[in-house]
Amino acid sequence: MKNQGGADAAVIKLYLYVEPEQDPPTSETTVDGQTTFGLGLAAEDVRRLARTSFPITQDNPQICVLVDPDNQVAESNEDNNLFCVKSPPAQAPAGRLRR
């Protein structure tokens, strides 16, 4: 996640969606996890996150993160608070050709 603004964000709240029912997630979508960071994020700073405790059941899962879901941070652009990624399908390992 990156604070693209010109001011520090004091507290950051995140919602995590794993294989959400809606694409993209809406206010009705089940939240699979939520976290609040009290350390904040400086302007233009980047923080990388990882979480693996949620089961993935699809071959090509979509995972989304919504930053500031309650609109507690005053922002000039609210449209970049949701990020979704769909992992590419797993490739079968290359095998040896037999003659």
Side-chain angles (χ1 to χ4, degrees):
M1 108 181 103
K2 179 180 180 182
N3 179 352
Q4 297 188 61
D8 296 351
V11 176
I12 302 163
K13 184 174 183 180
L14 305 172
Y15 282 177
L16 175 68
Y17 304 94
V18 178
E19 301 173 355
E21 302 94 29
Q22 289 81 23
D23 181 14
T26 68
S27 61
E28 303 300 316
T29 305
T30 303
V31 176
D32 294 302
Q34 60 183 356
T35 298
T36 302
F37 291 99
L39 299 176
L41 192 62
E44 297 297 322
D45 200 7
V46 174
R47 182 149 313 145
R48 301 197 190 293
L49 307 169
R51 184 171 187 139
T52 59
S53 64
F54 294 96
I56 303 293
T57 60
Q58 298 178 12
D59 289 337
N60 189 10
Q62 177 170 285
I63 298 171
C64 300
V65 175
L66 176 62
V67 179
D68 189 28
D70 303 322
N71 291 319
Q72 296 297 306
V73 177
E75 302 172 69
S76 60
N77 182 359
E78 295 283 347
D79 295 333
N80 62 2
N81 287 357
L82 178 66
F83 177 76
C84 295
V85 64
K86 199 169 213 181
S87 68
Q91 298 290 324
R96 289 185 172 182
L97 294 175
R98 294 187 184 216
R99 294 182 187 198

